[in-house]
């Protein structure tokens, strides 16, 4: 009976030691993968706040690191004002990207997982969250 109890405690201790060693290795050599979202907007004041808050909420719930770039294409409504207000709460980079600059930007971020979402097209909005 004592031999069985010692065997159970030994297996448990070995399992804990292996888990701690693997976690140490992961923390030392692995880096968390950041998903980079590029939101292309044009007069999307009704969608931008909801979408940004949802992205940050779901990333917080799942414990995933994200970075968001808002690429505005010349909005004339309050899209940029809403994004600037939200950038005070969250890490959000706001820029205006012309079509010719998008290729340079993509080459600079080639090592990241990049998800490009156009807020004008409703069919892609609900599937962008699956990359978290």
């Amino acid at each position: 009976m004592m031999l069985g109890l010692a065997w159970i405690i030994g297996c448990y201790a070995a399992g804990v030691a292996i888990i701690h060693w693997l976690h140490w290795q992961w923390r030392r050599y692995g880096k968390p993968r950041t998903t980079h979202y590029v939101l292309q907007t044009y007069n999307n004041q009704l969608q931008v706040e909801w979408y940004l808050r949802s992205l940050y909420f779901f990333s917080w719930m799942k414990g995933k690191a994200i970075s968001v770039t808002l690429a505005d294409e010349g909005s004339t409504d309050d899209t940029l004002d809403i994004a600037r207000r939200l950038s005070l709460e969250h890490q959000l980079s706001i820029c205006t990207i012309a079509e010719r600059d998008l290729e340079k930007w993509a080459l600079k971020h080639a090592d990241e997982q990049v998800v490009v979402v156009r807020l004008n097209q409703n069919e892609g909005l609900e599937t962008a969250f699956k990359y978290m």
Side-chain angles (χ1 to χ4, degrees):
M1 180 133 145
M2 291 301 284
L3 184 62
L5 185 60
W7 179 255
I8 291 172
I9 292 173
C11 288
Y12 179 75
V16 168
I18 289 171
I19 294 295
H20 280 286
W21 181 77
L22 288 174
H23 180 69
W24 178 74
Q25 290 290 329
W26 177 76
R27 293 279 309 244
R28 185 174 171 194
Y29 296 113
K31 67 176 190 175
R33 187 166 172 107
T34 301
T35 303
H36 194 109
Y37 285 89
V38 178
L39 303 179
Q40 292 181 334
T41 60
Y42 179 73
N43 291 339
N44 293 109
Q45 70 180 5
L46 300 177
Q47 294 94 1
V48 71
E49 182 172 7
W50 169 83
Y51 201 79
L52 285 171
R53 289 192 185 275
S54 298
L55 273 176
Y56 285 114
F57 176 74
F58 284 118
S59 69
W60 175 74
M61 289 290 289
K62 290 188 171 190
K64 303 281 182 163
I66 66 167
S67 61
V68 178
T69 300
L70 187 97
D72 190 67
E73 297 172 350
S75 294
T76 57
D77 61 356
D78 292 334
T79 301
L80 289 175
D81 294 333
I82 293 169
R84 285 186 191 104
R85 182 174 45 87
L86 288 173
S87 69
L88 299 175
E89 297 175 27
H90 306 289
Q91 176 146 353
L92 170 67
S93 97
I94 301 170
C95 62
T96 56
I97 296 180
E99 290 297 323
R100 63 185 180 278
D101 295 332
L102 190 58
E103 293 177 12
K104 292 177 188 176
W105 186 91
L107 289 174
K108 188 172 120 180
H109 295 279
D111 59 337
E112 298 176 4
Q113 179 181 7
V114 177
V115 178
V116 179
V117 178
R118 292 190 58 84
L119 291 183
N120 291 336
Q121 298 173 348
N122 292 333
E123 59 270 355
L125 293 180
E126 62 271 355
T127 59
F129 289 103
K130 72 179 182 179
Y131 294 104
M132 277 191 205

